Amino acid sequence: MTEYQHIFEGVKKGARKLTGLSNEKVNQVLHNLAISAVENMYLLLEENQKDLDRMDSNDPMYDRLLLTEERIQNIAGEIIQVSALPSPLHHVLESKTLENGLSLEKTTVPLGVIGVIYEARPNVTFDVFTLALKSGNGLVLKGGSNADHSNRAIMSLIHQVLAVNELPTDAFQLLPADRAATKALLEAVGFVDVIIPRGSQGLINFVRENAKVPVIETGAGIVHTYVDESADLEKATEIAFNSKTRRPSVCNSLDCLVIHEVHLPVLNDIIAPMLESKVQIFADEKSFAALDSNELISPADESHFGTEFLGLKLAIKTVANLDEALDHIATYSSKHSEAIVAENKEVIDRFLLEVDASAVYANASTAFTDGAQFGLGAEIGISTQKLHARGPMALKELCSYKWIIRGNGQVRD
């Protein structure tokens, strides 16, 4: 870690200067960044194209890597949304005065220094910086080599805006896109307070297994939608189609349609819009027998269940009742987002109660699992674990707390 130690030391030192910034100053910086992103749009697109040129356009990562004029405009809009949110810092969560006269306050504070390791998705560079600054956290980013040109252009823009506003650029750093930097970050004990991986299940597993710094797992979404016996089939068709095809490369997209066997006679109608969008279907034995012959439809095997496809692919599992649906989801879920389409209130309530995931839906698309959609402005990731944070991690989730005690000479017996 020696060659990176000065970077980590600089981030830690710079982060100490962030806690005392006024919310007005932070918002000014974020507004400046949003304007700068739009003004420098074509520079960002030019650097992004260098990354795109090195990737197969059929790779599921391609869409995650892609920046467009519309996406940059949307990024700028999300930065403005975050600036409009209340500061998560210095809120008194609890207060009391003890019998001995000590005054105690439990107050929100930044986590400190956050490390983020991510693949493709240069928008993450903007998102994470925005949330880190607003929550008073220093930041060490480690992007993948496939997005290095994009990430460096974005970080250069961020540093320019920070410098103009006389804020410490050292507090926000992008490491080189190599394995040595990853190893150094994972072992940066005493400098980095928490690491958040964003990317494939393979990346998340690697970080969890090799990190010496605490890790919050985010990302991998093996997503199911159960169409119950009581489902409105028009709703089911639209929800499944949107969940699968809106952005198939992202973690909230549908991977497995769990269908009650009573609907097998109309399964062709339910998946027809997906076939028109060239979704490849892997159907279990019962659903395969019910479907018309089509080059996009093939029999499923065990490997198709519990797979995050990140593309235009979908597995279908047939069940006889809610219990079988719950068992299948419990076996293969990554605890990201799960949905039911049903009209029976008792069935809905039981599904929402028993399914163990960070976001559980009734009669809505899983595409809504997103910090901005939840009114959080943006997100640093979707946490699929249960310690500290779960679901979209935004400003409040990037804070911890400390106890502030005021006395007047008290000593303990």
Side-chain angles (χ1 to χ4, degrees):
M1 193 184 78
T2 306
E3 65 177 299
Y4 296 100
Q5 185 163 336
H6 72 283
I7 297 176
F8 299 143
E9 288 175 342
V11 176
K12 185 175 181 179
K13 182 178 179 180
R16 296 206 311 265
K17 302 175 184 177
L18 302 176
T19 312
L21 293 177
S22 69
N23 195 41
E24 291 73 21
K25 181 66 172 179
V26 168
N27 292 343
Q28 175 184 317
V29 174
L30 294 179
H31 275 263
N32 290 169
L33 179 60
I35 293 169
S36 184
V38 174
E39 288 180 346
N40 290 276
M41 179 185 299
Y42 295 108
L43 170 64
L44 296 178
L45 293 176
E46 183 179 329
E47 293 302 302
N48 182 240
Q49 190 61 49
K50 293 177 183 178
D51 292 324
L52 293 170
D53 289 342
R54 297 180 299 170
M55 183 179 287
D56 182 350
S57 60
N58 294 318
D59 190 318
M61 286 285 189
Y62 189 90
D63 181 63
R64 291 189 173 200
L65 176 60
L66 176 66
L67 290 177
T68 64
E69 293 185 30
E70 181 182 5
R71 289 185 180 182
I72 292 175
Q73 292 279 6
N74 288 340
I75 287 168
E78 289 180 359
I79 294 172
I80 297 298
Q81 287 177 25
V82 172
S83 73
L85 296 173
S87 170
L89 299 175
H90 316 306
H91 293 288
V92 178
L93 303 175
E94 184 179 343
S95 65
K96 54 184 160 183
T97 301
L98 304 182
E99 290 183 5
N100 61 10
L102 287 177
S103 171
L104 279 65
E105 289 184 343
K106 183 180 180 182
T107 306
T108 56
V109 296
L111 289 174
V113 174
I114 299 169
V116 181
I117 301 177
Y118 55 115
E119 298 169 322
R121 301 196 71 165
N123 64 293
V124 170
T125 309
F126 276 118
D127 292 347
V128 172
F129 166 76
T130 300
L131 292 169
L133 179 64
K134 184 78 173 183
S135 58
N137 288 286
L139 188 62
V140 182
L141 295 172
K142 170 59 180 69
S145 58
N146 52 11
D148 197 48
H149 289 289
S150 305
N151 289 334
R152 299 216 167 274
I154 294 168
M155 185 53 73
S156 176
L157 208 63
I158 289 170
H159 279 179
Q160 290 174 30
V161 171
L162 288 170
V164 167
N165 285 276
E166 299 181 334
L167 295 189
T169 58
D170 285 351
F172 306 95
Q173 293 296 319
L174 175 67
L175 296 178
D178 57 41
R179 292 178 182 270
T182 300
K183 183 176 187 296
L185 180 55
L186 295 178
E187 297 177 354
V189 177
F191 298 102
V192 176
D193 293 281
V194 63
I195 289 176
I196 301 173
R198 290 195 59 173
S200 66
Q201 189 63 58
L203 171 69
I204 294 167
N205 291 343
F206 178 82
V207 170
R208 184 182 62 246
E209 292 165 7
N210 292 276
K212 296 180 180 179
V213 175
V215 174
I216 296 178
E217 294 185 34
T218 73
I222 300 167
V223 177
H224 303 79
T225 293
Y226 168 52
V227 181
D228 181 60
E229 181 180 9
S230 68
D232 178 314
L233 295 183
E234 183 176 345
K235 288 181 187 176
T237 302
E238 292 179 358
I239 288 169
F241 177 73
N242 181 258
S243 298
K244 178 69 266 181
T245 64
R246 179 190 169 274
R247 281 196 69 186
S249 68
V250 297
C251 56
N252 59 25
S253 64
L254 180 63
D255 295 296
C256 183
L257 182 67
V258 182
I259 188 90
H260 193 289
E261 62 186 10
V262 73
H263 298 308
L264 288 178
V266 294
L267 183 56
N268 281 296
D269 295 331
I270 293 173
I271 69 165
M274 295 195 213
L275 294 178
E276 290 179 10
S277 294
K278 305 302 180 185
V279 175
Q280 188 175 354
I281 304 292
F282 304 103
D284 70 351
E285 186 175 354
K286 288 184 178 180
S287 60
F288 185 76
L291 291 170
D292 295 338
S293 177
N294 189 298
E295 62 181 7
L296 290 170
I297 302 174
S298 58
D301 59 41
E302 184 62 26
S303 70
H304 294 119
F305 300 109
T307 294
E308 184 183 25
F309 290 114
L310 299 175
L312 290 173
K313 297 179 180 180
L314 178 74
I316 299 179
K317 171 67 178 177
T318 308
V319 296
N321 50 50
L322 175 61
D323 286 325
E324 286 189 15
L326 291 171
D327 287 344
H328 183 83
I329 291 171
T331 300
Y332 295 103
S333 174
S334 65
K335 305 183 188 301
H336 189 293
S337 300
E338 307 292 2
I340 183 173
V341 183
E343 297 299 312
N344 184 314
K345 183 179 183 303
E346 291 182 2
V347 169
I348 291 172
D349 289 346
R350 188 176 164 207
F351 186 92
L352 296 178
L353 178 66
E354 294 187 22
V355 169
D356 183 10
S358 68
V360 188
Y361 292 82
N363 296 317
S365 167
T366 58
F368 287 105
T369 304
D370 174 88
Q373 292 295 314
F374 280 20
L376 305 177
E379 70 189 35
I380 204 166
I382 308 292
S383 172
T384 54
Q385 64 182 46
K386 299 178 182 178
L387 292 179
H388 178 64
R390 199 173 197 202
M393 289 186 63
L395 293 174
K396 291 182 180 179
E397 289 73 30
L398 297 183
C399 293
S400 181
Y401 59 82
K402 66 182 177 185
W403 288 94
I404 295 175
I405 303 95
R406 292 182 174 90
N408 187 29
Q410 289 92 334
V411 294
R412 183 173 174 178
D413 294 337

